[in-house]
Amino acid sequence: MSTMLIAWSNCCCVLAVALMITGAAAHPAYQAQIPNGDAVERGGTPWPGVGHLHPGGGGNAENSFGTAFAAAGHTWTTTLCNAD
């Protein structure tokens, strides 16, 4: 492989990793609004993407809590708490 091709390949890998990290941390403010939002687990696995089907969050694939949280205007409410 040429040096230019290797450099391009490395650059693409770095960009892909950066995009994954950014996507996983897209809404830390939402997590901070939820009591113990930074300590959520699902099946014993840390789940920082609290309202998502994927543990890292991202996309629009929401679990039932994520759907309810969005319907509540992305605000923690007593009603939302009682529904959990």
Side-chain angles (χ1 to χ4, degrees), residues 3 6 10 12 15 19 25-26 36 38 47 54 57 65 76 80 82:
T3 305
I6 292 171
N10 289 341
C12 288
L15 179 60
L19 289 172
N36 299 312
D38 62 339
W47 210 271
H54 186 275
F65 175 79
W76 183 258
L80 182 62
N82 290 333

Side-chain angles (χ1 to χ4, degrees), residues 1-6 9:
M1 265 190 201
S2 73
T3 305
M4 189 95 148
L5 184 57
I6 292 171
S9 177

Side-chain angles (χ1 to χ4, degrees), residues 47-83:
W47 210 271
V50 178
H52 292 273
L53 296 174
H54 186 275
N60 292 326
E62 299 171 338
N63 58 30
S64 58
F65 175 79
T67 302
F69 187 65
H74 297 106
T75 303
W76 183 258
T77 65
T78 303
T79 302
L80 182 62
C81 178
N82 290 333

